[in-house]
Amino acid sequence: AMTEGVREPDMFYIPLPEETTPGGKCMDGTQAGYYLREGTNKSLFVIYLKGGGACTTQERCEKRITKPLGTSTNWADSMVGTNFLDKDCSRNPDFCDATAVHVPYCTSDGHRGTI
């Protein structure tokens, strides 16, 4: 939906449940979580792990604890999916019907993998 050219949020924040994911915390101890939009194609998922750069020393990590990269305190209740998380098939024909997951960054660790 659009309101005067502004797209309405279509992904909603889900905090990790503390009872099943006690280690799912940000650097400052706030609960981590993710944004989700359920797609119409139940077999297609697109997952975005937001980066932020790992801190590599205790001093650098301590400086991040109260900053946006170390807390979930200021995360919004919802967001607009963009790029490959966009539900508009004219902008995102490959993944518009996928279940979209956006994982914000607040732990200052690193994500690695190979294709």
Side-chain angles (χ1 to χ4, degrees), residues 23-104:
K25 304 281 186 189
C26 297
M27 290 184 72
D28 68 346
T30 55
Q31 198 66 15
Y34 57 93
Y35 292 87
L36 177 73
R37 183 186 74 268
E38 300 231 11
T40 56
N41 181 342
K42 299 300 179 191
S43 65
L44 184 62
F45 285 77
V46 61
I47 301 171
Y48 174 65
L49 300 175
K50 185 173 180 176
C55 56
T56 56
T57 68
Q58 183 172 346
E59 181 182 6
R60 288 180 181 162
C61 290
E62 286 174 355
K63 289 180 181 178
R64 292 182 128 181
I65 290 175
T66 58
K67 306 281 193 260
L69 293 178
T71 184
S72 63
T73 299
N74 296 315
W75 290 354
D77 291 333
S78 60
M79 63 176 278
V80 175
T82 59
N83 301 315
F84 61 89
L85 301 177
D86 196 327
K87 71 176 182 178
D88 186 321
C89 291
S90 68
R91 291 187 296 260
N92 183 22
D94 295 326
F95 299 112
C96 61
D97 59 349
T99 292
V101 181
H102 171 97
V103 181

